Amino acid sequence: QVQLVESRGGLVQPGGSLRLSCAASGSIFSINVMGWYRQAPGKERELVAAITSGGATNYADSVKGRFTISRDNARNTVYLQMNGLRPEDTAVYYCNAEGRTFVSGYDVWGQGTQVTVSS
């Protein structure tokens, strides 16, 4: 079993910055992809950014140039540095990890953390 624990989000003024972290623990053999998704009220969950074990990244067009995803493979941790935050970035942010335990594959989610961008 694999669990993800996210850091707390918060309230940030427009133009501000916030860093989220997500640590994976449990019966981990490998973590292939770690990513961040978000869901705003009344909207579907969407990919924000993802990173492979080799460091390849993928970003939503809406966050390119403002958000940076990184990971520490030794700590099984992924980070999302968010700069230039906008009110439309307000959402619940979820961490996701895909990989394998010693027995089977997994695709797990964190509990979600609220990020609110408002003056």
Side-chain angles (χ1 to χ4, degrees), residues 62-77:
S62 60
V63 306
K64 284 181 180 177
R66 300 188 297 123
F67 291 11
T68 302
I69 190 169
S70 61
R71 67 189 275 180
D72 183 338
N73 291 330
R75 291 182 168 84
N76 293 332
T77 300

Side-chain angles (χ1 to χ4, degrees), residues 15-94:
S17 298
L18 189 65
R19 189 176 87 149
L20 302 178
S21 65
C22 171
S25 63
S27 302
I28 298 170
F29 175 74
S30 65
I31 306 178
N32 297 330
V33 181
M34 299 189 82
W36 289 95
Y37 291 71
R38 66 186 181 188
Q39 188 167 18
K43 295 187 176 182
E44 293 186 353
R45 191 174 297 189
E46 62 175 2
L47 173 69
V48 177
I51 185 168
T52 69
S53 57
T57 58
N58 182 37
Y59 293 93
D61 287 343
S62 60
V63 306
K64 284 181 180 177
R66 300 188 297 123
F67 291 11
T68 302
I69 190 169
S70 61
R71 67 189 275 180
D72 183 338
N73 291 330
R75 291 182 168 84
N76 293 332
T77 300
V78 64
Y79 305 94
L80 184 67
Q81 178 67 45
M82 303 183 289
N83 299 328
L85 283 161
R86 304 168 180 169
E88 54 264 38
D89 295 317
T90 295
V92 177
Y93 284 69
Y94 296 89

Side-chain angles (χ1 to χ4, degrees), residues 1-4 23-31 97-101 104-109:
Q1 189 175 3
V2 177
Q3 301 85 33
L4 301 179
S25 63
S27 302
I28 298 170
F29 175 74
S30 65
I31 306 178
E98 300 175 25
R100 292 197 63 82
T101 68
S104 63
Y106 63 84
D107 183 346
V108 296
W109 294 88

